[in-house]
Each structure stands twice: as structure tokens, then as C-alpha cells.
Amino acid sequence: MLEDMHPPEYVTPCAVRTLLGKLDEADQTILGNALTNQDAWGHTPLARALTDRGLSISEKAIRKHRHKLCSCK
């Protein structure tokens, strides 16, 4: 009766997706463009620029999102 019972899969929310959801449409576009332009915006400089503007996010979260290793997949 319980043989196919499995614990629920916990999915950690993606920090980038969470941040994007808090921004207005214009800022979402700007951040989206920065995320796709890795030549101009490395992980660390982008994280630092966002943090300097009061948006707390780590370079690790940006790297994971860019490499599709976050919950967004």
C-alpha cells in the first residue's frame, strides 16, 4: 500500500527569479539584459552592482541561474 510513497521534493526558490519578481517591468528588462550579457557583466560585478543599489544577491546565485543550475531550469 505504501510502496510508492516518497518524501516531497523541496525546491529552493531561485534568488534571481525572486529578485526579478520584486522589480518593476523596466528594471526586470535591464536586469534580464545584464544576465544574458556575460561579456559585459561577469557574475561578481553584476552581484556587486545590484548590492550597491540595495538589492542583496550573491555572485553564486547569479552563476547558478546563468548556468541553469537553479530551480528555474
Side-chain angles (χ1 to χ4, degrees):
M1 177 167 98
L2 303 177
E3 46 278 336
D4 45 330
M5 183 172 75
H6 303 285
E9 183 178 335
Y10 177 74
V11 178
T12 306
C14 173
V16 174
R17 184 178 65 229
T18 301
L19 177 60
L20 282 166
K22 294 178 181 179
L23 299 175
D24 64 31
E25 191 173 325
D27 287 338
Q28 286 177 1
T29 300
I30 293 167
L31 180 53
N33 290 337
L35 286 166
T36 59
N37 190 352
Q38 293 186 51
D39 292 331
W41 285 104
H43 310 313
T44 301
L46 182 54
R48 191 172 297 127
L50 293 168
T51 300
D52 289 348
R53 287 162 178 77
L55 303 169
S56 180
I57 192 159
S58 70
E59 67 83 22
K60 181 179 178 182
I62 292 170
R63 180 176 36 80
K64 286 175 68 175
H65 184 79
R66 283 177 163 170
H67 294 287
K68 300 187 184 340
L69 299 172
C70 64
S71 60
C72 293
K73 297 179 186 173

